[in-house]
Amino acid sequence: MLLLLVTAVVSAFLGERAGAAIIGAILAISVGLGFLNEYRAERAVEALHEEIRHDAPAIRDGSWSDVDVTELVPGDVVRLELGMIVPADLRILEATNLECDESVLTGEAEAVEKFPAPVAAGLAVADLSGRPEVR
């Protein structure tokens, strides 16, 4: 796009007004089609996003019920089950052999084991696995 713009300006500067106009028209059409495609793609993604809902079992009013993940608030107790997507930033209260696939966040291919033990203060985000300190 930038090359076409520079070419149009140089053509106009050298007196080739017809060439500059043709290049400018091609540039305008290209920008317009790019914008239109981007707009359509964004609308399609929004439509798909509205169709997808994730629920998580959480305690509400003293009993377990499925809650839309967008309605989770700090302090909610959520139960994770095999194969679930972790619905929010959670503090683990109790776990047995819990492993999480964090490849989307970290790029690591292996699942990371998670523990309910408190983590030491001052750790980097990548080190917040909750692994109990070995003494």
Side-chain angles (χ1 to χ4, degrees):
M1 295 294 204
L2 187 59
L3 184 59
L4 281 175
L5 181 62
V6 169
T7 304
V9 169
V10 169
S11 293
F13 183 72
L14 295 175
E16 293 288 330
R17 303 229 186 265
I22 291 171
I23 293 171
I26 291 171
L27 185 61
I29 291 170
S30 179
V31 167
L33 288 175
F35 175 79
L36 182 64
N37 284 337
E38 193 72 27
Y39 177 75
R40 285 182 178 171
E42 189 174 316
R43 299 240 341 177
V45 167
E46 287 176 5
L48 285 173
H49 190 280
E50 288 180 11
E51 292 291 322
I52 297 173
R53 293 282 182 232
H54 290 287
D55 292 336
I59 294 179
R60 290 286 167 93
D61 298 324
S63 63
W64 290 102
S65 61
D66 285 337
V67 177
D68 191 312
V69 296
T70 60
E71 296 175 6
L72 291 174
V73 296
D76 275 345
V77 176
V78 177
R79 181 178 56 223
L80 295 179
E81 297 170 352
L82 183 63
M84 281 184 64
I85 295 173
V86 178
D89 188 13
L90 302 171
R91 175 74 182 116
I92 300 169
L93 300 176
E94 182 181 322
T96 304
N97 298 325
L98 176 62
E99 292 184 347
C100 292
D101 178 4
E102 297 178 344
S103 59
V104 173
L105 299 172
T106 65
E108 294 288 329
E110 298 292 320
V112 178
E113 191 171 2
K114 299 294 181 178
F115 302 94
V119 295
L123 288 178
V125 173
D127 296 326
L128 294 178
S129 67
R131 177 177 299 280
E133 292 183 27
V134 178
R135 296 181 189 215

